[in-house]
Amino acid sequence: MGVDLGPLIKSRRQIRVEELHGKSVAIDAYNALYQFLAVIRGEAGEPLTDSKGRVTSHLSGLYYRTLNLLEKGVKPVYVFDGKPPELKAQEIENRIRQRESARAKYEEALKRGDLESARTYAALSARLRDYMVEDAKRLLEALGVPWVQAPSEGEAEAAYMAAKGYVWASVSQDYDSLLFGSPVLVRNLTISGRRKLPRKDVYVEVVPELIRLDEVLGELGLTREQLVDLGILIGTDFNPDGIRGVGPVKAYNYIKKYGRLENIAELASELSSIDYNAIRTIFLSPSVAEPGPLEWRPPDEGAVVEFLCREHDFSEERVLNALRRLKASAPARTETLDRWFG
DNA sequence: CACATGAA
DNA sequence: TTCATGTGG
């Protein structure tokens, strides 16, 4: 789930996607694909599939959103997770349990004909399979959009790329990127701005927002090391339970008062069961790799149609229409592709 | 989530 | 143009 820094962060600025024109962004691929997979579903919560039963929800979302970003002059690079740190085992186990519980509730809801609940629980039980990740990478290749394989956490790699200036920002719904040191984080990078609130027939406007690490640290009066300690008190993927009874506000007060975990005497006992030095290392010296040169090429129309339409039964009309829109917005052929894509 | 369509 | 609704695969 990521660390719950939301309530503490006031320095967030709403932006329009157009403001990212000409900028490259490193997108947490797992985060994006999972959201597509969870939310792009039929009436009873079933995912979109091709005629062979392979799930395609994530491909639909990835395709249209990526083309939209390119159309607006944004250069995306997708960053895929590698091997998770050992300390993530508990979190991974929790997620599996939650998915299984949701799947049971999904089946119950279906049985009693409660489609709305079925849809909710279907989303919660969604699981991103290896073949779905492979398909996503193949689609990106056909689109001429680069992707990077992280050695470990995708968010860490994306943060590294942003910190090094390889990309302008990292993109994720989670705040972990900030702990990993991403100087700029973009959340809610969506095109259509309306989202339905769960359990209510109410729609809220969801606008992309920009968060700068230096502003967050400045406003909170913390160093990044302290922000990581704060995260550990709240709970991270590497200590999902955090400290009992400590949420964002109390955690912040502790860090402001005591400076670092070692100095919080009243939590010494609780903290003794957390390997917080290892967690600090994961965030402050994460396992990352040099990503290699990032290159954006024009989409290979034939490859896109072959993959989406021939292999996965997408509508050729829709697929080509989306490609046409990108071409219409693309620079004149005479202009170097570098101007837009490089 | 994003697209297509028809109504306002 | 905006908005609500149904569908995509």
Side-chain angles (χ1 to χ4, degrees), chain A residues 16-308:
Chain A
R16 295 172 309 121
V17 180
E18 287 74 13
E19 293 178 62
L20 301 176
H21 183 98
K23 293 178 161 53
S24 57
V25 293
I27 301 178
D28 179 358
Y30 179 90
N31 194 270
L33 293 178
Y34 185 82
Q35 278 180 358
F36 293 140
L37 181 63
V39 84
I40 301 179
R41 285 173 181 265
E43 203 183 355
E46 79 284 4
L48 307 187
T49 58
D50 63 21
S51 60
K52 291 188 172 136
R54 296 171 296 200
V55 173
T56 55
S57 294
H58 62 306
L59 298 179
S60 180
L62 180 65
Y63 181 67
Y64 293 111
R65 181 176 294 177
T66 302
L67 285 188
N68 268 309
L69 291 175
L70 291 170
E71 193 182 328
K72 292 183 163 62
V74 184
K75 301 180 294 180
V77 45
Y78 286 85
V79 184
F80 289 85
D81 279 330
K83 188 174 177 295
E86 300 282 346
L87 277 170
K88 204 174 180 178
Q90 180 66 56
E91 171 69 13
I92 291 169
E93 199 180 301
N94 290 350
R95 289 183 193 178
I96 289 171
R97 257 211 318 280
Q98 282 159 15
R99 271 202 303 265
E100 281 169 357
S101 154
R103 188 172 49 79
K105 288 180 180 166
Y106 165 65
E107 277 156 21
E108 286 165 23
L110 264 191
K111 238 177 258 175
R112 62 173 192 272
D114 182 351
L115 293 189
E116 197 185 322
S117 298
R119 219 171 179 285
T120 303
Y121 290 122
L124 291 172
S125 61
R127 180 171 165 199
L128 193 64
R129 305 267 179 183
D130 287 348
Y131 82 87
M132 301 181 199
V133 173
E134 296 313 311
D135 280 345
K137 289 173 177 174
R138 285 185 60 198
L139 176 57
L140 290 172
E141 278 158 19
L143 283 173
V145 168
W147 57 268
V148 169
Q149 179 64 58
S152 187
E153 292 288 281
E155 292 219 72
E157 182 73 20
Y160 174 76
M161 291 165 66
K164 279 275 191 175
Y166 302 150
V167 294
W168 183 76
S170 60
V171 175
S172 178
Q173 287 305 100
D174 294 343
Y175 294 100
D176 299 39
S177 311
L178 297 172
L179 302 196
F180 282 119
S182 178
V184 184
L185 166 66
V186 175
R187 299 181 69 246
N188 302 333
L189 186 60
T190 58
I191 309 305
S192 66
R194 281 167 15 119
R195 190 172 296 172
K196 192 170 170 294
L197 248 49
R199 316 201 26 86
K200 296 193 180 113
D201 273 337
V202 179
Y203 286 85
V204 288
E205 187 75 9
V206 177
V207 189
E209 65 181 20
L210 193 134
I211 299 170
R212 291 184 183 278
L213 178 58
D214 59 0
E215 289 179 8
V216 170
L217 295 178
E219 229 170 57
L220 296 176
L222 300 176
T223 64
R224 175 147 81 96
E225 286 71 14
Q226 289 178 311
L227 190 67
V228 169
D229 275 7
L230 165 57
I232 292 170
L233 290 178
I234 299 171
T236 72
D237 284 353
F238 314 107
N239 64 313
D241 296 336
I243 301 282
R244 279 171 62 88
V246 176
V249 174
K250 282 185 184 172
Y252 178 61
N253 291 335
Y254 273 124
I255 298 299
K256 281 306 274 186
K257 185 168 178 188
Y258 296 105
R260 63 206 308 263
L261 298 180
E262 283 85 344
N263 298 342
I264 312 175
E266 56 201 277
L267 296 183
S269 152
E270 295 250 34
L271 280 166
S272 67
S273 61
I274 298 173
D275 191 356
Y276 54 80
N277 273 317
I279 300 172
R280 283 168 169 166
T281 301
I282 290 175
F283 283 116
L284 297 172
S285 309
S287 165
V288 292
E290 277 302 313
L294 305 177
E295 289 174 355
W296 287 265
R297 295 176 284 99
D300 180 340
E301 186 171 312
V304 168
V305 169
E306 173 63 29
F307 179 72
L308 286 182

